[in-house]
Amino acid sequence: MFDPQRGFVDPLLSWYEQNGRHDLPWREPDRTPFEVLLAEIMLQRTTAEAVAGVFRPFAARYPTPAAAAAAPSDDIKGLVEPLGLVKRAAYVRQCAGQILSRHAGDVPREHSVLVDLHGVGEYTARSVLIHVHGLGVAAVDTNVRRLLSRFFDVTPEQSQIAVLADALAPSTRSSDFQHAMLDFAAEVCTADSPGCSSCPLRGPCATAEE
DNA sequence: AATCCGGGGTA
DNA sequence: TACCCAGGATT
């Protein structure tokens, strides 16, 4: 019987320790909850490499929800422009304002409250819960969906993948596990030409390319 | 359920 | 040229 712990979670975490993108600025241990939220919004449909190029000045300019809420909208827009999807400048400003007015400037800790923030959906809310609060769940993005649907040979339907991802997420290392899935999917289990020949995972994967 | 947003990188 | 990228809002 296939053991997802031995065949997937453990080797994935081992791969991550050796090969993960540990230098990304929003993964630094002293990151604030608002910095995590800022990063996740900038990362929506945007490569980590692109966000890495602008994140430090962005976070330095808007260290708190109060700073972001008070900024002229064109000001934030200028920092988002090189990434595309410029409407995210409005996400950041409105979201920061809501955190100020509704939550006294503290990033919420509950899923139902997080998803009520402008620009915060299922993925971003879960990311905050995982990386800030250590909740033992997973966040399904395009990388996770591709990786899990391939490896477990199931349809990429969102709700099924979400259940599977939560079941796999370790209760004590959910942040590492989430980053491991993202990095592995971005660097090995890529959308086209996945590196199957060097894949350290062993299991029911039906994807086979040399 | 579809459509739109978007610049940058890659094949 | 066409497709992809740590999605979410809008219709």
Side-chain angles (χ1 to χ4, degrees):
Chain A
M1 182 60 186
F2 173 68
D3 178 0
Q5 186 69 38
R6 298 284 184 188
F8 186 81
V9 178
D10 288 345
L12 188 65
L13 286 171
S14 295
W15 179 91
Y16 172 69
E17 288 167 10
Q18 296 297 318
N19 307 291
R21 297 178 289 188
H22 302 291
D23 55 338
L24 295 173
W26 54 90
R27 292 185 182 180
E28 291 172 1
D30 61 343
R31 52 187 162 33
T32 66
F34 187 63
E35 285 174 334
V36 172
L37 180 57
L38 274 181
E40 294 301 339
I41 292 175
M42 291 306 105
L43 285 162
Q44 293 168 5
R45 298 295 290 177
T46 307
T47 59
E49 187 179 353
V51 178
V54 303
F55 181 76
R56 289 188 190 282
F58 196 94
R61 190 161 182 81
Y62 310 112
T64 64
S73 96
D74 284 350
D75 196 4
I76 305 180
K77 206 176 286 185
L79 287 174
V80 178
E81 253 159 15
L83 303 177
L85 294 177
V86 183
K87 65 172 64 172
R88 289 180 294 177
Y91 291 177
V92 168
R93 204 167 74 90
Q94 293 181 38
C95 177
Q98 291 167 338
I99 292 174
L100 266 188
S101 61
R102 300 176 186 173
H103 311 294
D106 295 322
V107 175
R109 298 170 165 270
E110 295 177 15
H111 179 277
S112 62
V113 181
L114 281 164
V115 293
D116 280 340
L117 298 172
H118 193 56
V120 177
E122 190 66 24
Y123 172 82
T124 303
R126 282 169 171 267
S127 295
V128 170
L129 294 173
I130 293 164
H131 301 304
V132 175
H133 306 301
L135 193 66
V137 298
V140 177
D141 74 320
T142 56
N143 286 301
V144 173
R145 177 164 45 252
R146 181 178 66 249
L147 173 61
L148 296 186
S149 64
R150 276 179 179 168
F151 184 79
F152 292 96
D153 195 20
V154 297
T155 67
E157 199 272 319
Q158 179 76 27
S159 64
Q160 291 191 35
I161 297 292
V163 171
L164 176 57
D166 279 348
L168 292 167
S171 58
T172 59
R173 294 185 65 188
S174 64
S175 181
D176 283 346
F177 180 68
Q178 181 69 32
H179 287 152
M181 289 197 292
L182 295 173
D183 290 1
F184 186 77
E187 298 191 357
V188 180
C189 196
T190 57
D192 40 81
S193 68
C196 301
S197 62
S198 62
C199 182
L201 309 180
R202 290 295 176 269
C205 189
T207 302
E209 297 188 9
E210 60 173 295

